[in-house]
């Protein structure tokens, strides 16, 4: 696949996974400093990795959310939790199960923070059951 095809495929997947609003905002915020980085992640993260046939989109979402907990990358964690709930067909229970699993393998402090962050998103999206 050439770079343009990879870029196009990556943009399609990026929009599907994160939603048009997020991607449009990201594109609108491009500037001379970050444009090359945005292009690189569109071509490689989205166009090369997310388009691979072995894992389905749901599995990739679970992997990303779990990895962001492990790494303590809370901006990306919030982005992917919100996208999973709003665009990916995940339920709050799906996210909760990921976080319970991560509590064992990443530690309770990381999972505790993840639960706090995810709870805020669930509430923001009006998905919190009372």
């Amino acid at each position: 696949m050439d770079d343009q095809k990879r870029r196009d495929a990556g943009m399609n997947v990026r929009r599907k996974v994160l939603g048009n609003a997020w991607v449009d905002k990201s594109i609108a915020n491009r500037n001379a400093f970050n444009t090359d980085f945005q292009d690189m992640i569109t071509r490689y993260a989205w166009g090369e990795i997310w388009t691979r046939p072995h894992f389905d989109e749901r599995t990739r979402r679970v992997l990303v959310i779990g990895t962001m907990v492990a790494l303590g990358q809370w901006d990306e964690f919030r982005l992917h939790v919100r996208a999973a709930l709003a665009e990916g067909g995940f339920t709050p229970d799906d996210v909760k199960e990921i976080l319970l699993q991560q509590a064992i393998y990443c530690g309770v402090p990381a999972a505790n923070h993840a639960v706090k962050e995810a709870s805020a998103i669930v509430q923001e999206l009006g998905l919190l059951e009372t």
Side-chain angles (χ1 to χ4, degrees), residues 43-61:
R43 285 181 291 124
Y44 292 101
W46 297 105
E48 186 70 31
I49 300 303
W50 276 80
T51 60
R52 293 180 64 80
H54 188 79
F55 289 124
D56 63 10
E57 180 185 301
R58 182 175 179 82
T59 301
R60 290 186 190 284
R61 287 180 185 271

mmCIF file of all heavy atoms in Angstrom, residues 43-61:
data_model
loop_
_atom_site.group_PDB
_atom_site.id
_atom_site.type_symbol
_atom_site.label_atom_id
_atom_site.label_comp_id
_atom_site.label_asym_id
_atom_site.label_seq_id
_atom_site.Cartn_x
_atom_site.Cartn_y
_atom_site.Cartn_z
ATOM 1 N N ARG A 43 -1.382 7.626 8.969
ATOM 2 C CA ARG A 43 -0.858 6.598 8.061
ATOM 3 C C ARG A 43 -0.478 5.316 8.784
ATOM 4 O O ARG A 43 -0.777 4.216 8.305
ATOM 5 C CB ARG A 43 0.359 7.117 7.288
ATOM 6 C CG ARG A 43 0.008 8.079 6.176
ATOM 7 C CD ARG A 43 1.226 8.572 5.409
ATOM 8 N NE ARG A 43 2.026 9.455 6.259
ATOM 9 C CZ ARG A 43 3.308 9.270 6.531
ATOM 10 N NH1 ARG A 43 3.968 8.252 6.035
ATOM 11 N NH2 ARG A 43 3.950 10.119 7.313
ATOM 12 N N TYR A 44 0.191 5.442 9.929
ATOM 13 C CA TYR A 44 0.745 4.240 10.562
ATOM 14 C C TYR A 44 -0.126 3.654 11.667
ATOM 15 O O TYR A 44 -0.432 2.459 11.631
ATOM 16 C CB TYR A 44 2.183 4.493 11.019
ATOM 17 C CG TYR A 44 3.074 4.653 9.820
ATOM 18 C CD1 TYR A 44 3.479 5.904 9.397
ATOM 19 C CD2 TYR A 44 3.433 3.547 9.062
ATOM 20 C CE1 TYR A 44 4.252 6.057 8.255
ATOM 21 C CE2 TYR A 44 4.198 3.688 7.918
ATOM 22 C CZ TYR A 44 4.604 4.942 7.522
ATOM 23 O OH TYR A 44 5.352 5.077 6.385
ATOM 24 N N ALA A 45 -0.505 4.449 12.654
ATOM 25 C CA ALA A 45 -1.338 3.877 13.723
ATOM 26 C C ALA A 45 -2.679 3.426 13.154
ATOM 27 O O ALA A 45 -3.124 2.302 13.386
ATOM 28 C CB ALA A 45 -1.546 4.894 14.846
ATOM 29 N N TRP A 46 -3.315 4.320 12.389
ATOM 30 C CA TRP A 46 -4.659 4.018 11.880
ATOM 31 C C TRP A 46 -4.619 3.260 10.564
ATOM 32 O O TRP A 46 -5.396 2.313 10.377
ATOM 33 C CB TRP A 46 -5.459 5.308 11.742
ATOM 34 C CG TRP A 46 -5.658 5.979 13.054
ATOM 35 C CD1 TRP A 46 -5.008 7.098 13.518
ATOM 36 C CD2 TRP A 46 -6.525 5.569 14.109
ATOM 37 N NE1 TRP A 46 -5.430 7.392 14.785
ATOM 38 C CE2 TRP A 46 -6.361 6.479 15.181
ATOM 39 C CE3 TRP A 46 -7.420 4.517 14.258
ATOM 40 C CZ2 TRP A 46 -7.064 6.373 16.369
ATOM 41 C CZ3 TRP A 46 -8.125 4.412 15.452
ATOM 42 C CH2 TRP A 46 -7.947 5.333 16.480
ATOM 43 N N GLY A 47 -3.746 3.637 9.638
ATOM 44 C CA GLY A 47 -3.732 3.029 8.311
ATOM 45 C C GLY A 47 -2.959 1.732 8.206
ATOM 46 O O GLY A 47 -3.239 0.905 7.345
ATOM 47 N N GLU A 48 -1.993 1.539 9.080
ATOM 48 C CA GLU A 48 -1.179 0.326 9.029
ATOM 49 C C GLU A 48 -1.597 -0.681 10.105
ATOM 50 O O GLU A 48 -1.704 -1.864 9.826
ATOM 51 C CB GLU A 48 0.300 0.695 9.201
ATOM 52 C CG GLU A 48 1.260 -0.454 9.028
ATOM 53 C CD GLU A 48 1.370 -0.951 7.585
ATOM 54 O OE1 GLU A 48 1.222 -0.146 6.649
ATOM 55 O OE2 GLU A 48 1.609 -2.163 7.418
ATOM 56 N N ILE A 49 -1.825 -0.227 11.319
ATOM 57 C CA ILE A 49 -2.109 -1.148 12.431
ATOM 58 C C ILE A 49 -3.608 -1.440 12.574
ATOM 59 O O ILE A 49 -4.020 -2.594 12.612
ATOM 60 C CB ILE A 49 -1.520 -0.607 13.750
ATOM 61 C CG1 ILE A 49 0.002 -0.443 13.631
ATOM 62 C CG2 ILE A 49 -1.898 -1.509 14.922
ATOM 63 C CD1 ILE A 49 0.761 -1.708 13.248
ATOM 64 N N TRP A 50 -4.426 -0.398 12.680
ATOM 65 C CA TRP A 50 -5.865 -0.619 12.894
ATOM 66 C C TRP A 50 -6.533 -1.298 11.700
ATOM 67 O O TRP A 50 -7.627 -1.854 11.836
ATOM 68 C CB TRP A 50 -6.564 0.693 13.220
ATOM 69 C CG TRP A 50 -6.480 1.072 14.672
ATOM 70 C CD1 TRP A 50 -5.422 1.644 15.297
ATOM 71 C CD2 TRP A 50 -7.490 0.907 15.664
ATOM 72 N NE1 TRP A 50 -5.713 1.847 16.620
ATOM 73 C CE2 TRP A 50 -6.978 1.417 16.872
ATOM 74 C CE3 TRP A 50 -8.778 0.396 15.647
ATOM 75 C CZ2 TRP A 50 -7.701 1.408 18.053
ATOM 76 C CZ3 TRP A 50 -9.522 0.393 16.826
ATOM 77 C CH2 TRP A 50 -8.974 0.892 18.009
ATOM 78 N N THR A 51 -5.932 -1.288 10.522
ATOM 79 C CA THR A 51 -6.534 -1.939 9.351
ATOM 80 C C THR A 51 -6.083 -3.387 9.181
ATOM 81 O O THR A 51 -6.578 -4.073 8.287
ATOM 82 C CB THR A 51 -6.183 -1.169 8.055
ATOM 83 O OG1 THR A 51 -4.768 -1.143 7.891
ATOM 84 C CG2 THR A 51 -6.750 0.243 8.087
ATOM 85 N N ARG A 52 -5.176 -3.853 10.016
ATOM 86 C CA ARG A 52 -4.724 -5.236 9.897
ATOM 87 C C ARG A 52 -5.894 -6.182 10.160
ATOM 88 O O ARG A 52 -6.745 -5.915 10.989
ATOM 89 C CB ARG A 52 -3.572 -5.519 10.851
ATOM 90 C CG ARG A 52 -2.293 -4.744 10.472
ATOM 91 C CD ARG A 52 -1.161 -5.023 11.429
ATOM 92 N NE ARG A 52 -0.767 -6.431 11.372
ATOM 93 C CZ ARG A 52 0.015 -6.967 10.438
ATOM 94 N NH1 ARG A 52 0.489 -6.229 9.474
ATOM 95 N NH2 ARG A 52 0.326 -8.244 10.487
ATOM 96 N N PRO A 53 -5.947 -7.317 9.463
ATOM 97 C CA PRO A 53 -7.126 -8.178 9.540
ATOM 98 C C PRO A 53 -7.213 -9.091 10.763
ATOM 99 O O PRO A 53 -8.291 -9.609 11.061
ATOM 100 C CB PRO A 53 -7.025 -9.014 8.265
ATOM 101 C CG PRO A 53 -5.561 -9.081 7.983
ATOM 102 C CD PRO A 53 -5.006 -7.740 8.431
ATOM 103 N N HIS A 54 -6.135 -9.301 11.493
ATOM 104 C CA HIS A 54 -6.153 -10.340 12.529
ATOM 105 C C HIS A 54 -7.146 -10.057 13.662
ATOM 106 O O HIS A 54 -7.946 -10.920 14.018
ATOM 107 C CB HIS A 54 -4.745 -10.559 13.095
ATOM 108 C CG HIS A 54 -4.673 -11.739 14.009
ATOM 109 N ND1 HIS A 54 -4.594 -13.027 13.536
ATOM 110 C CD2 HIS A 54 -4.709 -11.830 15.350
ATOM 111 C CE1 HIS A 54 -4.575 -13.864 14.560
ATOM 112 N NE2 HIS A 54 -4.635 -13.160 15.671
ATOM 113 N N PHE A 55 -7.087 -8.870 14.267
ATOM 114 C CA PHE A 55 -7.999 -8.522 15.351
ATOM 115 C C PHE A 55 -9.123 -7.647 14.826
ATOM 116 O O PHE A 55 -8.905 -6.771 13.993
ATOM 117 C CB PHE A 55 -7.272 -7.759 16.472
ATOM 118 C CG PHE A 55 -6.339 -8.589 17.277
ATOM 119 C CD1 PHE A 55 -5.007 -8.220 17.390
ATOM 120 C CD2 PHE A 55 -6.765 -9.733 17.915
ATOM 121 C CE1 PHE A 55 -4.123 -8.978 18.137
ATOM 122 C CE2 PHE A 55 -5.893 -10.507 18.662
ATOM 123 C CZ PHE A 55 -4.570 -10.131 18.780
ATOM 124 N N ASP A 56 -10.310 -7.864 15.360
ATOM 125 C CA ASP A 56 -11.425 -6.992 14.995
ATOM 126 C C ASP A 56 -11.320 -5.677 15.770
ATOM 127 O O ASP A 56 -10.498 -5.527 16.670
ATOM 128 C CB ASP A 56 -12.766 -7.685 15.230
ATOM 129 C CG ASP A 56 -13.037 -8.033 16.697
ATOM 130 O OD1 ASP A 56 -12.291 -7.594 17.591
ATOM 131 O OD2 ASP A 56 -14.025 -8.736 16.944
ATOM 132 N N GLU A 57 -12.158 -4.730 15.378
ATOM 133 C CA GLU A 57 -12.116 -3.399 15.986
ATOM 134 C C GLU A 57 -12.384 -3.455 17.493
ATOM 135 O O GLU A 57 -11.734 -2.755 18.269
ATOM 136 C CB GLU A 57 -13.151 -2.509 15.306
ATOM 137 C CG GLU A 57 -13.202 -1.099 15.837
ATOM 138 C CD GLU A 57 -14.318 -0.316 15.207
ATOM 139 O OE1 GLU A 57 -14.317 -0.175 13.961
ATOM 140 O OE2 GLU A 57 -15.193 0.165 15.952
ATOM 141 N N ARG A 58 -13.317 -4.271 17.918
ATOM 142 C CA ARG A 58 -13.644 -4.370 19.346
ATOM 143 C C ARG A 58 -12.423 -4.825 20.154
ATOM 144 O O ARG A 58 -12.115 -4.260 21.189
ATOM 145 C CB ARG A 58 -14.820 -5.318 19.559
ATOM 146 C CG ARG A 58 -15.234 -5.432 21.007
ATOM 147 C CD ARG A 58 -16.490 -6.292 21.164
ATOM 148 N NE ARG A 58 -16.837 -6.407 22.548
ATOM 149 C CZ ARG A 58 -17.519 -5.511 23.240
ATOM 150 N NH1 ARG A 58 -17.934 -4.407 22.660
ATOM 151 N NH2 ARG A 58 -17.799 -5.701 24.515
ATOM 152 N N THR A 59 -11.725 -5.837 19.661
ATOM 153 C CA THR A 59 -10.536 -6.332 20.351
ATOM 154 C C THR A 59 -9.471 -5.251 20.411
ATOM 155 O O THR A 59 -8.834 -5.049 21.454
ATOM 156 C CB THR A 59 -9.989 -7.589 19.645
ATOM 157 O OG1 THR A 59 -11.027 -8.589 19.638
ATOM 158 C CG2 THR A 59 -8.751 -8.125 20.335
ATOM 159 N N ARG A 60 -9.285 -4.542 19.328
ATOM 160 C CA ARG A 60 -8.293 -3.462 19.321
ATOM 161 C C ARG A 60 -8.664 -2.368 20.332
ATOM 162 O O ARG A 60 -7.802 -1.830 21.015
ATOM 163 C CB ARG A 60 -8.139 -2.875 17.923
ATOM 164 C CG ARG A 60 -7.463 -3.840 16.968
ATOM 165 C CD ARG A 60 -7.175 -3.198 15.623
ATOM 166 N NE ARG A 60 -6.740 -4.209 14.669
ATOM 167 C CZ ARG A 60 -5.538 -4.768 14.629
ATOM 168 N NH1 ARG A 60 -4.620 -4.402 15.496
ATOM 169 N NH2 ARG A 60 -5.239 -5.677 13.724
ATOM 170 N N ARG A 61 -9.946 -2.054 20.440
ATOM 171 C CA ARG A 61 -10.383 -1.057 21.422
ATOM 172 C C ARG A 61 -10.073 -1.520 22.850
ATOM 173 O O ARG A 61 -9.591 -0.739 23.663
ATOM 174 C CB ARG A 61 -11.880 -0.783 21.282
ATOM 175 C CG ARG A 61 -12.265 0.027 20.064
ATOM 176 C CD ARG A 61 -13.786 0.226 20.045
ATOM 177 N NE ARG A 61 -14.289 0.885 18.893
ATOM 178 C CZ ARG A 61 -14.424 2.209 18.746
ATOM 179 N NH1 ARG A 61 -14.035 3.016 19.719
ATOM 180 N NH2 ARG A 61 -14.939 2.718 17.653
#
